[in-house]
Amino acid sequence: MPRSPRPRPQPRRAAARRPEPEEGEALISTGTVRLERDRDDPDGWLVLVNGVPSSYVDLADPEHLVFEYQQWTAAVLDAVHPPGPLRVVHLGGAGCAFPRYVAATRPGSRQLVLEVDERLVELVRRSFGASASAGFRLKVAEARAGVAALPDASQDALVRDAFVHDRVPAHLVTVEFLRDVARVLAPGGVWVANLADRPPMPHARAELATAAEVFAHTAVLAEPGVFRGRRYGNALLVASQEELPERALVRALSGGAAPARLVAGEEGRHFRAGASVVTDAAVAALSTGAPAGAPGAQSQAEPTEETDA
């Protein structure tokens, strides 16, 4: 009886090198970035861009989201989309904490992170590891131009977490830009945008009014104290052409570690009443000093509590 051929030994794959960040500050294209190790957790790293806490990366547990608005973003994606891989484009990267979370909780997801700062991208790749093997691609690109290059109906979610110093870039707020976002979203896709505001929340109202010009269903959520006018903080704009699962969102947001209040439907229409729709023309007029005619065209002028960009 002939003997079966002996299988050839397969070459061993080299073990993935564990990232080894270094504490300290470095110059980047848009200012400075500082990496600080968490004194209570040696695997935790805080990324500060121009002095603003912009990411918290847990090298041992990518499902560990420290920033509240990222926990809310996770709740939105889970409520809108069933378990399984997603196609997601992230506008703004910093340490890429949220793309790492999606890669860990939804294996097989196709993710693209657009980050405008080339030096920041290089530092993040070197310090934390950021490549297709990490579950996402990190690309140097301006967010609006990057979205314009995406195919129609190609994404399940677009997540905006882009800041320049302490401001959301005004050109990522306008109705013209949101029309391009809507073009790129697949049926059932969702737009999630992080912003920061203080009472009476003029930026959140303007963004909600602008999104309502493009999307059939919109909502805004924030910590209850922000809505009650007690403090400055983060808020999330959520928009889709499909009906939002408001009951599921309310349950998820009220029962989590970082409770948030959802404002949608008739309450949302009341919330945005009187707010101006932000247009490219209004933003251009504002930048030249001409009367803008749209208070909401102003970017956030206060330092953000939490960003990932």
Side-chain angles (χ1 to χ4, degrees), residues 43 96 124 148 171 209 234:
D43 291 313
C96 298
V124 168
H171 68 287
N234 288 83

Side-chain angles (χ1 to χ4, degrees), residues 101-184:
Y101 170 86
V102 173
T105 58
R106 293 176 178 264
S109 293
R110 296 194 336 230
Q111 299 188 85
L112 173 64
V113 181
L114 302 175
E115 169 57 56
V116 71
D117 194 305
E118 183 175 6
R119 290 186 179 181
L120 179 58
V121 167
E122 292 173 354
L123 183 141
V124 168
R125 285 175 174 157
R126 183 173 65 249
S127 300
F128 302 122
S131 64
S133 62
F136 58 91
R137 291 190 300 121
L138 181 53
K139 179 180 179 180
V140 179
E142 190 279 316
R144 185 157 174 175
V147 170
L150 295 172
D152 294 359
S154 61
Q155 304 299 320
D156 299 309
L158 267 70
V159 178
R160 190 199 70 199
D161 197 4
F163 287 78
V164 175
H165 293 279
D166 55 3
R167 304 183 182 187
V168 174
H171 68 287
L172 300 183
V173 173
T174 69
V175 68
E176 290 86 358
F177 172 62
L178 290 189
R179 289 182 184 132
D180 209 24
V181 169
R183 174 190 64 80
V184 168

